[in-house]
Amino acid sequence: MRSHYCGELNKSLVDQNVTLCGWVNKRRDLGGLIFIDLRDREGIVQAVIDPDETAIFESANKLRNEFCIKLSGVVRARPESQANKDMATGEVELYVKDLEILNASAPVPLDFNQDNSEEQRLKYRYLDLRRPVMNQRLQFRSKVTSAVRRYLDDAGFLDMETPILTKATPEGARDYLVPSRTHKGQFFALPQSPQLFKQLLMVAGFDRYYQIVKCFRDEDLRADRQPEFTQIDIETTFMSGEDVMAMAEGMVRSVFSELLNVELGDFPTMTYLEAMTRFGSDKPDLRNPLEMVDVADIMKDVDFKVFAGPANDPKGRVAVIKVLDGASMTRKNIDGYTEFVGKYGAKGLAWIKVNDLEAGLAGLQSPILKFLNEEVVNAILARTGAQTGDILLFGSDSYKVVTDALGALRLKVGTDLELVEDKWAPLWVVDFPMFEELEGGALTPLHHPFTAPSNMTPAELAADPAGALSDAYDMVLNGCELGGGSVRIHKQDMQSEVFRILGIGEEEAQEKFGFLLDALQFGAPPHAGLAFGLDRMLMLMVGADSIRDVMAFPKTTTAACPLTAAPGFANPDALKDLGIEIVKQN
């Protein structure tokens, strides 16, 4: 029906006849001439309808925003004084010779000239996606997936599929369950990731696998989470963790260079311990210059239990953040930050303002100075490098509370004071603990139970599981985890030992993971891989605030779809076929 897209018109087409199809973005009647801004996926172009074209002019008078129309005519150069420098097609216009209304539009329930509620945007998502910004984001998504496929295809990876209906396995979130009609009372699970199947493909000898795949997790949602999301899933055989990291880094650098003209350079590597110590996060935002400094050793002998208690507790922590030029903070600001850290379990926020470093104690301001002698204060000032005009913000509690509270405070203060640099800051975080301790002392895997420990035998792991490090790696960009992976366990004795440490007995292990344990007996090769969150990567690349803005049909924060009114109630006959009865709770 069309000869060109609207966004393709330029001076090279002047005097040529073209046919365009699209939607009326705007109609302007200037008392003689009618101007139509016609929009399609490639852009917007101005069309001019002359009153001398009587029939066409009459039809143009009926047009309203979002009418779907077809225009044919001649491309003309716009006078230089009338060129629109803000439009890619602003140097030309279409002089219309024929107009066909393909479909009229009812009044649009969204106002494209102002912000609409997210509920409205998702309910009428097919209209929201007509907005140029959303159209461009989804087109960009397609370009990213194409670039990823090209890179991996060229590197010898095979694009392979894995099942969607599978067996429930513990991977850190609740499963979405699908009842079986033919096996009443039994359920499939939608995969949280293709983890076990991609490992089985390595056992099968396929060497290099990738898949751009939907994953499903029934968990509480936030800006970077959705119940169904897309992973770039990768697995390799006979490659070390360092090899996988180099390959994955090359892929991300290639995509950013090709599509954003951004050169990310070599990614620095940081250990998990360093990241938590300095930034209070295993996905630190390196654009933010604020860091945490430990001062527990300085506080051990002070006559102030708030500091001395945690400083002498092996599970405690005393740390401080120096905010450059932060002494201008008002008491109201500090009270607000005190309330903020309280959300993370902190009982308060001690502080010292450095009004005049040269004046010694007299140049400092703080309600806690009466508890600290001059030697302690000077040691703190020296360690933090505090200068006149700075403020020191303290956390003193359990290691977890201080790390979580000051880590979050670091981000908030950095944002509030506009300290975050406008740049790309990627890094790798490595040397994660193999396990983390739950309340009561039980251990749970920090990543997943198929991650291999770093340079340990099963006996060595059994002897000190809490001190074991995993051969795992996370790629972080601007404080967001883009992807994570690990070297996998490829021997049955090690996998069985990990299950034992996690409290998974032989019978339970066989029931849940028997197919994997069986496969590891048959010459399973060393293998490693990782998975990227495609939606998160796109969110960062286009500057969106939420992954919902780079997905065609996302869910709300309550995991509902206003467009289709899903989830909904099932037909009673369908439930009967499945052997399911809905029981109402009081």
Side-chain angles (χ1 to χ4, degrees), residues 12-27:
S12 69
L13 297 172
V14 168
D15 295 330
Q16 290 191 30
N17 291 301
V18 300
T19 299
L20 309 176
C21 295
W23 289 267
V24 175
N25 194 66
K26 185 187 295 184
R27 172 186 174 277

Side-chain angles (χ1 to χ4, degrees), residues 130-275:
R130 288 185 186 175
R131 293 191 300 130
V133 64
M134 292 303 298
N135 183 290
Q136 290 160 14
R137 285 173 177 174
L138 290 189
Q139 287 197 56
F140 186 77
R141 182 185 182 110
S142 177
K143 292 176 182 177
V144 169
T145 57
S146 294
V148 167
R149 290 185 190 279
R150 284 196 303 274
Y151 183 92
L152 294 173
D153 289 343
D154 290 346
F157 284 80
L158 303 176
D159 184 357
M160 306 183 75
E161 296 180 350
T162 52
I164 293 297
L165 294 177
T166 184
K167 185 181 180 71
T169 55
E171 292 188 43
R174 288 179 294 273
D175 290 306
Y176 278 101
L177 300 177
V178 180
S180 170
R181 178 184 60 81
T182 53
H183 301 277
K184 286 186 172 57
Q186 299 184 52
F187 295 81
F188 295 103
L190 302 182
Q192 294 185 34
S193 78
Q195 180 63 48
L196 298 184
F197 286 104
K198 66 181 181 181
Q199 288 190 242
L200 293 177
L201 287 170
M202 296 303 100
V203 176
F206 284 100
D207 194 61
R208 294 188 176 195
Y209 140 100
Y210 82 93
Q211 184 180 186
I212 298 179
V213 59
K214 282 287 187 185
C215 301
F216 307 86
R217 295 182 184 177
D218 185 4
E219 57 189 350
D220 295 334
L221 304 184
R222 59 191 186 202
D224 62 350
R225 282 182 179 171
Q226 278 280 292
E228 52 180 316
F229 57 96
T230 305
Q231 278 187 183
I232 305 169
D233 204 54
I234 300 171
E235 198 77 7
T236 69
T237 300
F238 307 123
M239 288 177 69
S240 67
E242 291 78 9
D243 294 334
V244 173
M245 290 167 64
M247 177 276 302
E249 181 178 324
M251 182 189 77
V252 172
R253 288 166 57 183
S254 174
V255 170
F256 270 71
S257 177
E258 177 183 339
L259 299 179
L260 292 183
N261 198 27
V262 168
E263 301 302 327
L264 293 175
D266 293 334
F267 293 13
T269 299
M270 182 180 297
T271 66
Y272 171 87
L273 180 60
E274 181 183 357

